Amino acid sequence: MICEMCGKDVPTTRPMMVEGTKLNLCPACAKFGDEYKSLAARSDGAADEGMPYSKTVIQERLEKRERRMQTRDIYLSTGSTALVADYGKRIQQARVKRGLSPEDFAKSISEKKGTLVKVEAQSLVPDDRLIAKLEKTLDIKLREMIQDGAVMGGQRSEGMTLGNFIKVEKKK
Ligand SMILES: [Zn+2]
């Protein structure tokens, strides 16, 4: 789980009230917030008395959080890359063109043959590390740019992906 204040990945977060906003916080940040559920009970007007942490500390953290979220938005809106719909075929064709068996090729890139076969059959989606390795070794492109999610909604790639999945399922 991601702490919404410091952005750390922690095993557990707690919902806390910070400056009137409900945030899921890690144990380290939880001390800056008020107990979420007990807030309603605090109607005695003693809210600001004895606040253990100054507002500036909280403010600083919230501003950092703001910046982090903006960066993420910019990254998303300028487009990102996605695996091409026929990545398995592209890998297989490039490998065959080089006259390599699945076994030899897998060995040459220090991967298991089973992994490579599954990726070529598109029953396994390669991770970024493997994609980069395959692109470099075979001199092919396995990723395409997505602009504002345009490709995701595109009939062509969606239809192909679905078709390929059905094919894989029938083989078993
Ligand atoms: Zn935190």
Side-chain angles (χ1 to χ4, degrees), residues 11 14 30 38 80 84 108 129 135 139 155:
R14 292 169 58 185
S38 73
S80 59
V84 293
S108 77
R129 184 191 54 83
E135 283 183 324
D139 192 27
Q155 264 187 331

Side-chain angles (χ1 to χ4, degrees), residues 1-101:
M1 293 175 92
I2 307 290
C3 169
E4 289 185 290
M5 196 177 244
C6 67
K8 246 188 248 164
D9 199 356
V10 290
T12 52
T13 59
R14 292 169 58 185
M16 301 290 287
M17 288 303 289
V18 181
E19 304 280 281
T21 312
K22 188 189 155 204
L23 297 174
N24 291 308
L25 303 183
C26 73
C29 293
K31 62 188 174 201
F32 295 110
D34 293 311
E35 203 77 50
Y36 178 59
K37 51 176 183 263
S38 73
L39 200 76
R42 275 178 53 178
S43 53
D44 52 3
D48 286 331
E49 279 290 49
M51 267 249 288
Y53 294 95
S54 68
K55 286 220 175 211
T56 49
V57 176
I58 297 171
Q59 211 59 44
E60 245 170 56
R61 291 211 171 203
L62 285 177
E63 273 164 21
K64 262 188 211 160
R65 169 176 177 265
E66 199 78 26
R67 271 201 295 276
R68 204 167 51 238
M69 292 179 106
Q70 277 168 4
T71 319
R72 198 182 301 155
D73 283 347
I74 290 162
Y75 174 72
L76 280 177
S77 63
T78 49
S80 59
T81 55
L83 211 53
V84 293
D86 59 342
Y87 66 90
K89 204 199 272 177
R90 291 195 194 191
I91 295 163
Q92 191 178 38
Q93 280 174 349
R95 173 179 61 72
V96 169
K97 222 167 83 182
R98 281 165 172 72
L100 292 166
S101 67

Side-chain angles (χ1 to χ4, degrees), residues 136-150:
K136 206 177 152 200
T137 316
L138 294 170
D139 192 27
I140 51 173
K141 281 265 162 273
L142 297 174
R143 288 172 283 201
E144 61 192 353
M145 286 296 289
I146 298 177
Q147 291 293 342
D148 301 321

Side-chain angles (χ1 to χ4, degrees), residues 77-169:
S77 63
T78 49
S80 59
T81 55
L83 211 53
V84 293
D86 59 342
Y87 66 90
K89 204 199 272 177
R90 291 195 194 191
I91 295 163
Q92 191 178 38
Q93 280 174 349
R95 173 179 61 72
V96 169
K97 222 167 83 182
R98 281 165 172 72
L100 292 166
S101 67
E103 207 155 11
D104 289 339
F105 178 56
K107 208 185 281 176
S108 77
I109 57 169
S110 351
E111 293 290 335
K112 286 188 192 124
K113 183 191 157 197
T115 307
L116 177 71
V117 168
K118 274 187 213 159
V119 170
E120 284 189 2
Q122 302 205 170
S123 59
L124 178 77
V125 176
D127 58 23
D128 286 342
R129 184 191 54 83
L130 184 53
I131 292 169
K133 194 148 72 171
L134 290 166
E135 283 183 324
K136 206 177 152 200
T137 316
L138 294 170
D139 192 27
I140 51 173
K141 281 265 162 273
L142 297 174
R143 288 172 283 201
E144 61 192 353
M145 286 296 289
I146 298 177
Q147 291 293 342
D148 301 321
V151 172
M152 296 304 284
Q155 264 187 331
R156 187 191 61 87
S157 65
E158 219 171 46
M160 279 191 73
T161 312
L162 239 161
N164 288 333
F165 270 117
I166 291 162
K167 248 185 262 164
V168 169
E169 286 308 310

